């Protein structure tokens, strides 16, 4: 059975509003499933085990790596982050479109392993707006904000590795934009193998 979901990787500077965007995408459209990552970073205020992340110790995370339980993992600002394999494979098999909200090193690894992954980069309208959103969040120390901004400058160099670049200014406009991209992706000839073969076969049968 060829019917499989689309694997969608969403990256963007920390503070680009990816989390909110993803939550709205899932709330408004039922074809998506969000992968929950594992991380060694400490939970932020209000975050819950198994909802934002699976929070792990370094040792636990390294065991997951050794057991090959992660599709990809990366180190980001001093912590490990990785995508658990089982959930992603199961949801794709069921035909759901699976969203990974991961940073750029992870995005590249996923695209290498699964070339038909759609890579989408989300950006705030300006760098000034990015700084404002990070500061307003109020959950990070100033030096962490500075290191996230420095990391954003590095990540900006890799944007062309992505298939799509989307500005998150008005949330609902952005949600619709992302959803349309996925709907278009579904119609690409490279994803239509079984249906294309079927119509060819039927047409050949007519000419016999
Ligand atoms: P935060 O600490 O702000 O929640 O996330 C920091 C960065 O790690 C974000 O850019 C986020 O997209 C990325 N990230 C979250 N989960 C994963 C993952 O499973 N793999 C990779 N490679 N990056 C992740």
């Amino acid at each position: 059975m060829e019917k499989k979901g689309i694997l969608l990787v969403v990256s963007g500077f920390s503070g680009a509003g990816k989390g909110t965007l993803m939550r709205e995408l899932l709330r408004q459209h039922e074809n998506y499933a969000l992968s929950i990552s594992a991380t060694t970073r400490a939970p932020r205020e209000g975050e819950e085990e198994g909802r934002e992340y699976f929070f792990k110790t370094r040792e636990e995370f390294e065991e997951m790596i050794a057991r090959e339980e992660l599709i990809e993992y990366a180190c980001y600002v001093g912590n490990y982050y990785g995508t658990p394999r089982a959930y992603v494979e199961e949801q794709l098999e069921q035909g759901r479109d699976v969203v990974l909200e991961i940073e750029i090193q992870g995005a590249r690894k996923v695209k290498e392993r699964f070339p038909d992954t759609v890579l989408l980069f989300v950006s705030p309208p300006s760098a000034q707006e990015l700084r404002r959103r990070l500061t307003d969040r109020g959950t990070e120390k100033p030096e962490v904000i500075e290191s996230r901004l420095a990391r954003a400058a590095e990540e900006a160099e890799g944007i062309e590795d992505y298939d799509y670049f989307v500005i998150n200014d008005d949330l609902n406009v952005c949600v619709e934009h992302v959803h349309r991209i996925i709907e278009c992706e579904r119609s690409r000839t490279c994803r239509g193998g079984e249906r294309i073969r079927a119509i060819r076969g039927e047409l050949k049968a007519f000419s016999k």
Side-chain angles (χ1 to χ4, degrees):
M1 185 57 179
E2 202 168 36
K3 172 68 196 121
K4 287 224 299 195
I6 293 175
L7 188 54
L8 169 65
V9 166
V10 177
S11 303
F13 314 123
S14 177
K18 289 166 302 192
T20 320
L21 175 65
M22 295 302 98
R23 268 197 302 283
E24 267 311 291
L25 185 70
L26 265 83
R27 201 181 63 75
Q28 294 185 22
H29 301 282
E30 58 188 18
N31 53 305
Y32 299 101
L34 184 66
S35 159
I36 311 289
S37 296
T39 185
T40 58
R41 98 149 153 66
R44 290 191 191 118
E45 180 109 9
E47 286 185 338
E48 270 178 35
E49 166 68 16
R51 191 181 64 191
E52 280 79 13
Y53 285 105
F54 297 107
F55 295 99
K56 305 284 177 193
T57 63
R58 239 185 146 73
E59 293 69 39
E60 286 169 339
F61 198 99
E62 282 167 358
E63 271 170 34
M64 292 180 85
I65 299 173
R67 289 199 298 261
E68 298 188 359
E69 287 172 13
L70 301 171
I71 290 181
E72 61 72 39
Y73 67 93
C75 215
Y76 181 92
V77 196
N79 281 301
Y80 277 133
Y81 293 81
T83 308
R85 173 193 306 280
Y87 178 80
V88 172
E89 288 183 351
E90 173 194 301
Q91 295 293 314
L92 285 175
E93 254 342 288
Q94 288 174 20
R96 314 245 346 248
D97 302 319
V98 180
V99 185
L100 310 184
E101 192 215 311
I102 67 179
E103 52 64 75
I104 193 163
Q105 306 165 64
R108 288 187 181 123
K109 285 188 220 156
V110 174
K111 185 84 175 184
E112 244 171 63
R113 286 185 75 168
F114 309 102
D116 61 356
T117 303
V118 178
L119 298 191
L120 191 141
F121 196 95
V122 183
S123 173
S126 69
Q128 202 54 39
E129 173 66 12
L130 180 64
R131 180 190 283 273
R132 194 187 63 74
R133 287 186 197 175
L134 279 172
T135 313
D136 285 2
R137 191 148 77 180
T139 53
E140 314 284 12
K141 297 195 189 90
E143 57 273 26
V144 175
I145 293 178
E146 286 316 308
S147 69
R148 284 177 184 246
L149 286 171
R151 178 68 187 229
E154 277 169 41
E155 287 180 343
E157 294 301 315
I159 293 175
E160 284 88 349
D161 288 353
Y162 286 75
D163 301 306
Y164 296 94
F165 177 73
V166 171
I167 303 277
N168 183 14
D169 192 356
D170 179 299
L171 180 63
N172 282 318
V173 170
C174 194
V175 166
E176 230 10 68
H177 192 162
V178 173
H179 182 60
R180 286 213 207 104
I181 287 172
I182 296 304
E183 288 304 300
C184 291
E185 281 286 329
R186 219 183 296 291
S187 303
R188 290 180 77 134
T189 51
C190 59
R191 297 184 202 279
E194 204 169 88
R195 277 161 296 160
I196 295 169
R197 282 192 293 280
I199 193 89
R200 267 198 197 120
E202 287 164 18
L203 286 168
K204 277 203 183 115
F206 279 157
S207 59
K208 270 183 189 155

